[in-house]
C-alpha cells in the first residue's frame, strides 16, 4: 500500500410513479451535498459549489417559474405528483450510504465534476493504445455547467440532443440524478416536464412492442392524463436516456422504420431511435449518457453537443469534496446512533491531513480524478475512524464499491457471450494484480499490461471485447504513474485494489497451472466417454481373454480422482502462499495493516523519501485479508450479482486448506502488530466457527503498543469475544485505550486471568467500567494492572478495596509505586529519563512524570510504613527536579 461522485448507474425499474416500494440495496445513489463548511470558504471555482436548501423528503417541489404549457388543475397536479415521486425515488439511499448517518440527504451538497465539450472530430480520432491518459480540454472550449448543456452551439444553432460520455467512475449517474433532483425542485425552469428512462430497463423488455405512451404510463402513472399533450410541449419536454450502452440501436431504415405516432407499438429500441431521429416529438430535448465505446451507436448528425465527463481533474474539487463529505454532521455517528461521536477537531484533522497528502503526493490525486474513488477514500476513512456497523468489513466496502459501479452489467451488450464487465476485469486485471503480488511489484510496464490483457485472445469477437474494456473501464483500474523514478509505468488506481483483485483472481479459481488446465480437459473428456467405454470394455473382457482390459478399465476410474488431487494440491499451495504472506518475518515490525491503510490515504508525518534512496520492500499484507473476506457468505452473494460467482464447495475447500495451514503456522508467538493482523483476517472472514477452531489454542493476547482505535477494539471483540476458553494473559499496555474501548473489549477481558492496561487513556470515568468488570459473575481476572492512567484518587482506592474483597481475591495494581520489588528500578527509570530529556517528546515526558508524582504522593499518604514513606519522599524529590528542568510544576 503505497499512497498514502460518481455513483453507480441508475436502476430505474418500472412502476416509478406507482406506490413506492421499500428501499432496495441495488438502488444507486448520489454523492451530492451542500452543507455549509462551518464558516470556511469553499475551495475551487464558484461554479463547483452549489448550495441546495431543504430536504427532498420533507418538502413539496415548487412549480415551474415560466408560463405553464400543461394548463388546468388536473395537469398541474399530475406534474406536481410526478415531481414528488421522482424526488422521493431519486433521494433513496442504499445500505452503503446509510452508514454515513440517518439524516444524510442526497440533494444537500453537490460538487460538479468537470465536463468539457468535445467535437465529432475528436471522437473519431484514434485513442491511445491503453486509453489511460486524460486529455486536457481543447483550446477555446471551456468546461460546461449543467445549466449550459442546451445553450446554442458556437454557430448559434439550437441544441436539442446532448450526449454526455465518460468512463466507469467519472460521475455519469451522479449528474443524471443531480439534474432530475434539480428539476424536481424547480431549479431547471427551462423544462416543464422531465421523463427519465434507464436504457438497462428498456433493454430488459426485449423486442416486445410498446408505444411511447405505454412506456411512459407504465413507469410514471401520474402522467397518464397528460400524455396527449406531450406533442405540444416542444423543447420544454426533456427526455433523459441513461446508459445508452445497454441498448442496441439500429438507424438503418430497412431495419428500423420511421414512426411518429406516440400510440403506435414498436420495440423499445425503435422508439428511442425515432426520438433521436427527431421523427417522433421533433421539438423535444434529449439528454443521453453513455460509456465511450457506445458513442458511435448514434450517428453524429443527430447530436447537437458532445460532452466528456472528466471527473475531478482539478485538485481543488477533490479537496472540496472531502471537506463536504468528511464534515457531514451525521458522519460522526454509527448505525442507529450507536457509539460515540467523533469531535469536530478530529474531522478537521482528517481533512487537513488528506489535503496535505493530495498536495504533496500526486499519485493519490491522480486516483481521486475519478469521483467514485473519492467516495471509496471517504468510506475507508469512515470505516477506520468511526464506529463500525455490525458485519461491515474492509472487503465488503470494496465489494460493494464495485457493485455500485458495475452492478453486474455486461461488457458489451452487442456480444452474444453476455460476459459481465466485472468478470472480464477479474480475469485480466486480476491476473496483472496477482502477478504483481507474486513478484512483489506495484509498477507495471506497458508490456506487462498488454500481456495480461491480450493473453489467450484469438478471435475477432475477443478483440472487440478488449477494445470495449480499454475504452470504458481500464482507466478505472489502472492509472499512469506520476511518481518520480518510474516514467512510462502504470499502477493500480489505489494500492489496495491491486491486492483485492489479486485475491479475487485466486478465489474465483482463475489461476491455473498448465497441468491443471490439461488435467481438467482430460478429466472432462474421460468423464463424458467413461461410462460408454467402461461398458464396452466390460463386454469385451467377458468374451475375449484380454488381460490388459481390466487394467485399462481401472485407469479410467482413476483419472478424475488424480485430477481432483491435483486441484486439492493447488488449493493447498495457494493457502500456503497466503499464510506465508501473513506471517512474513520481514513484516514483523511493520505497523498493523489498519494503520498502513490509514497512512496510505492520509500520508505519513515527516520528511518524504529522497528519489535516490532505495525503496522499501513492497508489502502486500492486505492480500490474505481480502482472500479471507471474499470467502465470506455476504461477499460471495454480492460477487454473484457482479457475474463472478464462487461455488460453495470451492469456498469450503479453500477454507479447509487455509485452516490447515493456519493451524500449523498460526501457533507461533507473533509480535503485537502481526497478531492484530491475524485477528483482522478472522474478522474479514466473518466465520465464528472457523475462527474458534483456529484460535482455540491462543492463551496469550499481547497487543502492547498497538494503537487501539474503535475499529481495532471491534475487531478483537468480534473475533475473541465469543470464545469460551480462558486467556492466561491479556496485555494492552500503551495502546491509547479509552473508556469506550474498555466497554467494547469487555467480553475479552472477562476471560483474562492477568489483565494489563498500563499507560492508557483511562480517566476517572473508567473506574465504573472497571468496577463492573470485576464484579461480573463470569469475570476470571486475578490480576489487573493499571502502571500511568489518570484515575482519580478515590477511584484507585475503591478499586484496591474491591479487588481484595471480590471472590478469588483479584489483585488490582493501580499505581507504579505499589509493591516493594519495583522500588529498586526507580533510579534506573529516572536516570534514563534524565539522559534522554533533550531527545524525547518533552510534553509527553512531562505528562508521565506528573502522573508518577501523583502516584507517589497518593501512596505516601496511604502507607503506614515509615521506611516506605521515606523512600517515596526521596523519589518524589527527584521527579520534581526533573519536572523543573522540563518547565513543569515541581510542586
Amino acid at each position: 500500500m503505497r499512497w498514502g461522485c460518481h455513483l453507480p448507474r441508475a436502476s430505474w425499474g418500472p412502476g416509478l410513479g406507482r406506490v413506492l416500494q421499500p428501499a432496495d440495496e441495488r438502488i444507486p445513489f448520489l454523492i451530492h451535498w451542500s452543507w455549509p463548511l462551518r464558516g470556511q470558504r469553499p475551495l475551487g471555482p464558484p461554479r463547483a459549489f452549489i448550495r441546495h436548501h431543504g430536504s427532498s423528503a420533507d418538502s413539496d417541489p415548487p412549480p415551474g417559474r415560466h408560463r405553464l404549457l400543461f394548463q388546468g388543475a388536473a395537469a398541474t397536479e399530475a406534474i406536481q405528483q410526478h415531481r414528488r415521486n421522482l424526488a422521493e425515488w431519486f433521494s433513496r439511499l442504499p445500505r452503503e450510504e446509510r452508514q454515513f448517518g440517518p439524516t444524510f440527504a442526497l440533494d444537500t451538497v453537490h460538487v460538479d465534476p468537470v465536463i468539457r465539450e468535445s467535437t465529432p472530430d475528436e471522437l473519431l480520432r484514434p485513442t491511445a493504445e491503453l486509453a489511460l491518459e486524460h486529455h486536457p480540454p481543447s483550446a477555446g472550449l471551456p468546461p460546461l455547467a449543467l445549466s449550459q448543456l442546451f445553450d446554442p452551439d458556437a454557430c448559434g444553432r439550437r441544441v436539442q440532443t446532448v450526449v454526455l460520455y465518460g468512463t466507469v467512475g467519472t460521475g455519469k449517474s451522479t449528474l443524471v440524478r443531480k439534474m432530475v433532483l434539480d428539476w424536481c425542485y424547480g431549479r431547471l425552469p427551462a423544462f416543464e416536464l422531465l421523463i427519465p428512462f434507464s436504457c438497462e430497463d428498456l433493454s430488459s423488455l426485449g423486442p416486445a412492442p410498446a408505444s411511447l405512451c405505454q412506456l411512459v404510463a407504465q413507469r410514471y402513472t401520474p402522467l397518464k392524463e397528460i400524455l396527449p399533450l406531450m406533442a405540444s410541449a416542444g423543447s420544454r419536454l426533456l427526455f433523459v436516456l441513461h446508459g445508452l450502452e445497454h441498448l442496441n440501436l439500429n438507424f438503418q431504415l430497412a431495419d428500423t422504420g420511421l414512426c411518429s405516432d406516440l400510440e403506435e407499438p414498436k420495440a423499445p429500441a425503435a422508439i428511442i431511435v425515432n426520438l433521436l431521429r427527431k421523427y417522433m416529438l421533433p421539438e423535444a430535448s434529449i439528454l443521453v449518457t453513455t460509456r465511450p465505446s457506445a458513442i458511435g451507436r448514434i450517428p453524429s448528425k443527430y447530436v447537437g453537443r458532445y460532452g466528456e465527463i472528466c471527473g475531478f481533474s482539478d485538485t481543488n474539487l477533490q479537496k472540496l469534496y472531502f471537506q463536504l463529505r468528511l464534515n457531514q454532521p451525521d458522519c460522526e455517528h454509527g448505525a442507529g446512533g450507536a457509539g460515540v461521536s467523533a469531535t469536530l477537531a478530529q474531522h478537521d484533522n482528517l481533512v487537513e491531513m488528506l489535503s496535505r497528502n493530495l498536495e504533496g503526493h500526486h499519485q493519490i490525486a491522480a486516483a481521486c480524478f475519478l469521483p467514485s474513488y473519492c467516495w471509496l477514500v471517504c468510506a475507508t476513512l469512515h470505516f477506520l475512524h468511526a464506529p463500525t456497523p455490525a458485519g461491515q468489513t474492509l472487503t465488503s466496502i470494496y465489494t460493494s464499491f464495485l457493485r455500485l459501479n458495475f452492478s453486474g452489467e455486461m461488457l458489451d451488450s452487442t456480444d452474444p457471450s453476455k460476459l459481465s464487465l466485472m468478470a472480464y476485469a477479474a480475469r485480466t486485471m486480476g491476473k496483472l494484480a496477482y502477478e504483481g503480488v507474486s513478484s512483489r511489484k506495484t509498477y507495471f510496464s506497458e508490456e506487462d499490461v498488454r500481456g495480461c490483457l491480450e493473453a489467450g485472445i484469438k478471435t475477432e469477437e475477443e478483440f472487440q471485447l478488449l477494445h470495449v474494456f480499454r475504452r470504458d473501464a481500464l482507466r478505472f483500474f489502472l492509472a499512469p504513474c506520476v511518481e518520480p523514478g518510474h516514467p512510462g509505468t502504470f499502477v493500480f488506481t489505489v494500492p489496495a485494489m491491486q491486492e483485492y483483485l489479486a485475491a479475487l483472481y485466486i478465489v474465483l479459481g482463475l489461476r491455473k497451472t498448465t497441468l491443471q488446465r490439461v488435467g481438467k480437459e482430460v478429466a472432462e473428456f474421460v468423464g463424458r466417454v467413461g461410462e460408454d467405454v467402461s461398458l464396452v470394455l466390460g463386454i469385451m473382457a467377458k468374451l475375449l481373454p484380454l488381460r490388459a482390459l481390466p487394467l485399462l478399465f481401472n485407469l479410467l476410474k482413476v483419472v478424475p480422482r488424480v485430477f481432483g488431487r491435483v486441484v486439492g494440491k493447488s488449493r493447498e499451495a495457494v493457502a500456503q502462499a497466503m499464510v506465508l504472506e501473513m506471517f512474513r518475518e520481514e513484516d514483523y515490525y511493520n505497523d498493523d495493516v489498519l494503520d498502513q491503510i490509514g497512512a496510505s490515504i492520509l500520508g505519513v508525518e515527516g520528511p518524504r523519501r529522497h528519489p535516490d534512496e532505495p525503496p522499501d520492500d513492497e508489502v502486500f499484507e492486505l492480500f490474505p485479508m481480502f482472500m479471507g473476506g471474499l470467502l465470506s457468505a455476504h461477499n460471495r452473494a454480492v460477487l454473484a450479482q457482479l457475474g463472478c460467482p464462487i461455488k460453495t464447495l470451492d469456498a469450503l475447500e479453500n477454507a479447509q486448506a487455509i485452516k490447515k495451514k493456519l493451524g500449523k503456522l498460526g501457533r507461533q508467538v507473533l509480535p503485537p502488530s502481526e497478531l492484530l493482523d491475524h485477528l483482522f483476517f478472522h474478522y474479514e472472514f466473518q466465520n465464528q466457527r472457523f475462527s474458534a477452531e483456529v484460535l482455540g489454542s491462543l492463551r496469550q493476547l499481547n497487543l502492547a503498543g498497538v494503537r487501539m482505535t474503535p475499529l481495532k477494539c471491534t475487531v478483537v471483540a468480534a473475533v475473541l469475544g465469543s470464545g469460551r476458553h480462558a486467556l492466561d494473559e491479556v496485555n494492552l499496555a500503551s495502546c491509547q485505550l479509552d473508556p469506550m474501548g474498555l466497554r467494547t473489549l469487555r467480553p475479552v477481558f472477562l476471560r483474562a486471568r492477568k489483565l494489563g492496561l498500563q499507560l492508557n487513556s483511562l480517566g476517572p470515568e473508567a473506574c465504573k467500567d472497571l468496577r463492573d468488570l470485576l464484579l461480573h459473575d463470569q469475570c476470571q481476572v486475578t490480576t489487573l494492572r493499571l502502571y500511568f492512567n489518570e484515575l482519580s484518587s478515590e477511584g484507585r482506592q475503591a478499586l484496591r478495596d474491591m479487588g481484595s474483597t471480590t471472590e478469588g481475591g483479584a489483585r488490582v495494581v493501580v499505581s507504579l509505586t505499589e509493591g516493594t520489588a519495583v522500588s529498586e528500578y526507580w533510579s534506573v527509570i529516572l536516570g534514563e529519563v534524565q539522559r534522554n530529556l533533550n531527545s524525547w517528546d518533552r510534553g509527553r515526558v512531562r505528562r508521565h512524570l506528573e502522573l508518577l508524582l501523583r502516584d507517589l504522593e497518593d501512596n505516601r499518604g496511604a502507607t503506614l510504613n515509615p521506611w516506605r514513606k521515606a523512600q517515596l519522599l526521596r523519589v518524589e524529590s527527584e521527579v520534581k527536579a526533573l519536572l523543573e528542568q522540563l518547565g513543569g510544576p515541581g510542586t
Side-chain angles (χ1 to χ4, degrees):
M1 291 172 288
R2 279 292 183 189
W3 54 252
C5 179
H6 149 91
L7 293 174
R9 298 145 325 287
S11 174
W12 311 325
L16 195 69
R18 305 173 190 165
V19 177
L20 292 171
Q21 303 297 320
D24 185 87
E25 290 182 10
R26 197 168 173 274
I27 298 174
F29 53 99
L30 285 174
I31 299 192
H32 286 322
W33 306 267
S34 82
W35 282 98
L37 283 183
R38 300 181 182 177
Q40 301 180 13
R41 295 182 60 187
L43 300 171
R47 65 171 181 80
F49 185 68
I50 307 172
R51 295 183 188 270
H52 295 167
H53 301 286
S55 168
S56 59
D58 300 326
S59 60
D60 286 342
R65 301 174 187 172
H66 293 275
R67 183 181 62 85
L68 295 178
L69 294 175
F70 297 100
Q71 300 290 340
T76 301
E77 176 55 29
I79 295 291
Q80 284 300 94
Q81 185 60 44
H82 180 57
R83 289 179 190 266
R84 286 191 291 268
N85 289 349
L86 284 181
E88 184 174 354
W89 184 267
F90 279 84
S91 299
R92 292 190 170 191
L93 295 171
R95 184 188 60 184
E96 287 80 7
E97 276 292 40
R98 290 197 296 270
Q99 66 178 302
F100 290 102
T103 62
F104 179 75
L106 298 180
D107 65 333
T108 51
V109 177
H110 171 67
V111 180
D112 269 327
V114 173
I115 305 174
R116 73 173 184 92
E117 186 169 358
S118 54
T119 64
D121 292 339
E122 290 182 77
L123 299 177
L124 293 174
R125 190 180 303 157
T127 58
E129 189 65 23
L130 288 178
L132 288 175
E133 299 292 344
H134 169 64
H135 304 286
S138 303
L141 292 176
L144 288 169
L146 279 180
S147 59
Q148 300 171 321
L149 292 179
F150 289 92
D151 287 354
D153 65 12
C155 299
R157 291 173 298 199
R158 177 181 165 196
V159 172
Q160 289 182 280
T161 301
V162 175
V163 174
L164 296 181
Y165 65 95
T167 60
V168 174
T170 49
K172 300 183 293 296
S173 298
T174 303
L175 283 178
V176 168
R177 291 179 165 266
K178 167 64 166 51
M179 177 168 274
V180 171
L181 288 174
D182 275 355
W183 179 80
C184 291
Y185 289 93
R187 292 189 288 263
L188 284 180
F191 304 107
E192 188 171 342
L193 179 59
L194 182 147
I195 301 178
F197 279 118
S198 164
C199 295
E200 183 179 12
D201 171 34
L202 295 177
S203 68
S204 67
L205 301 177
S211 68
L212 178 61
C213 288
Q214 288 174 327
L215 291 176
V216 173
Q218 288 171 359
R219 285 153 184 77
Y220 309 109
T221 307
L223 299 183
K224 281 184 177 180
E225 303 299 324
I226 61 171
L227 289 177
L229 304 177
M230 282 198 304
S232 62
S235 63
R236 299 189 65 185
L237 169 61
L238 174 62
F239 286 97
V240 178
L241 308 176
H242 180 55
L244 184 75
E245 65 273 5
H246 295 284
L247 273 180
N248 298 329
L249 303 183
N250 191 333
F251 282 79
Q252 297 293 324
L253 282 174
D255 298 307
T256 306
L258 298 176
C259 175
S260 61
D261 187 356
L262 305 185
E263 300 285 351
E264 183 179 351
K266 292 280 187 181
I271 298 291
I272 299 302
V273 166
N274 279 286
L275 279 174
L276 292 168
R277 282 173 174 168
K278 293 302 177 184
Y279 200 76
M280 182 181 290
L281 297 176
E283 297 298 316
S285 302
I286 302 175
L287 175 68
V288 179
T289 67
T290 183
R291 299 201 310 241
S293 63
I295 295 175
R297 296 185 189 180
I298 304 177
S300 59
K301 65 180 178 180
Y302 298 123
V303 180
R305 173 171 285 131
Y306 291 97
E308 180 183 7
I309 304 174
C310 300
F312 293 158
S313 54
D314 184 351
T315 306
N316 284 332
L317 294 181
Q318 300 173 9
K319 291 181 183 178
L320 175 59
Y321 178 100
F322 290 126
Q323 280 184 320
L324 296 174
R325 188 63 187 238
L326 296 175
N327 281 321
Q328 279 288 301
D330 288 317
C331 285
E332 54 200 45
H333 300 288
V340 293
S341 61
T343 64
L344 177 61
Q346 289 172 322
H347 284 302
D348 290 342
N349 185 50
L350 284 179
V351 172
E352 182 181 352
M353 293 180 69
L354 186 54
S355 296
R356 284 204 304 266
N357 205 27
L358 284 170
E359 293 171 357
H361 198 159
H362 300 295
Q363 198 62 56
I364 187 176
C368 291
F369 155 79
L370 293 173
S372 57
Y373 275 99
C374 292
W375 180 89
L376 180 62
V377 166
C378 288
T380 305
L381 288 176
H382 190 270
F383 175 71
L384 292 174
H385 296 279
T388 305
Q392 187 185 67
T393 65
L394 185 68
T395 312
S396 71
I397 288 177
Y398 273 74
T399 306
S400 298
F401 169 68
L402 293 174
R403 180 180 69 89
L404 292 167
N405 280 279
F406 296 100
S407 190
E409 67 179 63
M410 292 177 290
L411 177 60
D412 185 0
S413 62
T414 64
D415 186 73
S417 68
K418 306 302 181 185
L419 181 67
S420 80
L421 201 162
M422 192 61 225
Y424 192 91
R427 192 177 73 196
T428 54
M429 293 294 95
K431 177 179 172 62
L432 181 69
Y434 180 74
E435 289 181 356
V437 170
S438 301
S439 56
R440 313 200 69 75
K441 70 177 184 179
T442 57
Y443 304 98
F444 303 92
S445 66
E446 186 170 339
E447 291 71 22
D448 295 331
V449 179
R450 194 192 309 277
C452 289
L453 287 174
E454 298 179 357
I457 292 184
K458 299 176 182 178
T459 66
E460 184 63 28
E461 290 76 13
E462 290 172 334
F463 273 107
Q464 175 61 27
L465 289 177
L466 174 59
H467 173 73
V468 172
F469 181 78
R470 276 175 170 164
R471 293 203 67 183
D472 293 349
L474 186 59
R475 179 63 179 85
F476 182 85
F477 295 103
L478 291 181
C481 180
V482 296
E483 292 181 349
H486 300 279
T489 60
F490 304 96
V491 295
F492 279 85
T493 313
V494 294
M497 184 59 76
Q498 177 180 352
E499 297 176 76
Y500 178 93
L501 290 173
L504 182 62
Y505 184 72
I506 294 299
V507 299
L508 288 176
L510 297 174
R511 176 185 175 269
K512 292 183 174 65
T513 63
T514 303
L515 178 61
Q516 283 180 280
R517 287 193 294 268
V518 173
K520 182 179 180 181
E521 293 173 1
V522 172
E524 288 176 350
F525 173 77
V526 172
R528 285 194 300 268
V529 303
E531 292 185 3
D532 296 335
V533 174
S534 298
L535 179 62
V536 173
L537 291 177
I539 295 173
M540 292 178 63
K542 292 179 180 179
L543 298 176
L544 300 174
L546 300 177
R547 296 181 181 179
L549 288 180
L551 177 61
L552 186 58
F553 180 80
N554 291 327
L555 283 175
L556 287 173
K557 295 181 179 179
V558 168
V559 170
R561 275 180 271 167
V562 170
F563 175 70
R565 290 181 180 177
V566 170
V567 174
K569 291 292 184 183
S570 175
R571 287 196 178 97
E572 289 188 9
V574 169
Q576 175 80 1
M578 190 211 79
V579 173
L580 288 176
E581 187 64 47
M582 255 173 76
F583 299 119
R584 287 180 76 233
E585 291 187 11
E586 297 90 333
D587 301 336
Y588 269 15
Y589 301 101
N590 291 344
D591 290 337
D592 62 80
V593 70
L594 292 173
D595 281 351
Q596 291 179 40
I597 298 169
S600 73
I601 295 175
L602 299 174
V604 180
E605 297 296 328
R608 293 178 61 81
R609 177 188 298 278
H610 191 276
D612 295 335
E613 290 185 32
D616 294 330
D617 190 17
E618 295 291 352
V619 177
F620 296 100
E621 291 183 281
L622 270 180
F623 168 63
M625 314 300 172
F626 282 138
M627 274 195 67
L630 288 170
L631 291 175
S632 70
H634 169 75
N635 283 301
R636 285 191 286 119
V638 178
L639 286 171
Q641 297 175 19
L642 289 169
C644 301
I646 301 174
K647 296 179 181 178
T648 303
L649 182 61
D650 289 340
L652 289 174
E653 291 178 348
N654 277 315
Q656 289 297 325
I658 292 172
K659 182 167 67 174
K660 181 179 178 181
K661 298 300 178 182
L662 278 178
K664 293 179 179 178
L665 295 177
R667 295 191 186 99
Q668 56 188 311
V669 178
L670 298 172
S673 62
E674 290 296 301
L675 178 56
L676 183 71
D677 290 348
H678 187 193
L679 297 178
F680 185 59
F681 166 82
H682 289 276
Y683 178 77
E684 290 292 308
F685 198 4
Q686 294 282 300
N687 188 321
Q688 289 189 351
R689 181 178 177 182
F690 175 93
S691 299
E693 292 177 4
V694 173
L695 297 173
S697 60
L698 182 68
R699 290 294 180 269
Q700 290 188 329
L701 180 66
N702 179 16
L703 297 177
V706 174
R707 185 172 59 93
M708 293 301 290
T709 62
L711 172 61
K712 295 176 189 176
C713 292
T714 300
V715 167
V716 175
V719 174
L720 296 177
S722 60
R724 298 181 179 179
H725 66 277
L727 297 170
D728 294 335
E729 182 177 3
V730 173
N731 184 1
L732 291 178
S734 301
C735 290
Q736 301 180 33
L737 192 67
D738 59 15
M740 183 62 191
L742 198 66
R743 290 189 285 273
T744 303
L745 291 168
R746 183 175 175 177
V748 180
F749 292 163
L750 288 173
R751 296 165 46 203
R753 293 196 174 97
K754 294 182 180 179
L755 179 57
L757 301 176
Q758 312 96 302
L759 288 163
N760 279 298
S761 304
L762 302 178
E765 66 274 20
C767 292
K768 181 181 182 301
D769 297 305
L770 293 167
R771 176 181 176 278
D772 294 342
L773 172 70
L774 293 174
L775 291 176
H776 196 281
D777 57 357
Q778 296 179 8
C779 180
Q780 302 184 44
V781 175
T782 58
T783 301
L784 172 62
R785 297 187 178 276
L786 295 166
Y787 279 10
F788 286 119
N789 285 289
E790 298 186 20
L791 304 177
S792 63
S793 299
E794 297 79 7
R796 296 172 189 228
Q797 190 58 47
L799 287 173
R800 287 193 196 98
D801 296 341
M802 187 182 61
S804 61
T805 58
T806 53
E807 185 178 351
R811 180 179 177 230
V812 182
V813 182
V814 297
S815 170
L816 176 68
T817 58
E818 290 186 28
T820 56
V822 295
S823 60
E824 60 190 87
Y825 299 109
W826 288 343
S827 60
V828 178
I829 294 172
L830 296 177
E832 188 70 14
V833 173
Q834 178 73 49
R835 282 192 297 273
N836 293 280
L837 211 55
N838 295 325
S839 58
W840 286 354
D841 181 353
R842 298 174 74 86
R844 187 175 181 185
V845 172
R846 184 188 303 115
R847 288 193 298 273
H848 284 174
L849 289 176
E850 288 170 353
L851 287 173
L852 176 59
L853 181 61
R854 194 176 70 180
D855 275 358
L856 291 165
E857 292 171 345
D858 287 349
N859 279 272
R860 181 165 53 85
T863 184
L864 299 177
N865 186 326
W867 172 247
R868 183 163 176 75
K869 278 182 180 288
Q871 277 188 314
L872 292 169
L873 190 61
R874 178 178 60 81
V875 179
E876 278 182 48
S877 63
E878 295 184 32
V879 173
K880 288 178 181 178
L882 284 174
L883 279 170
E884 288 177 356
Q885 292 184 44
L886 289 167
T891 60

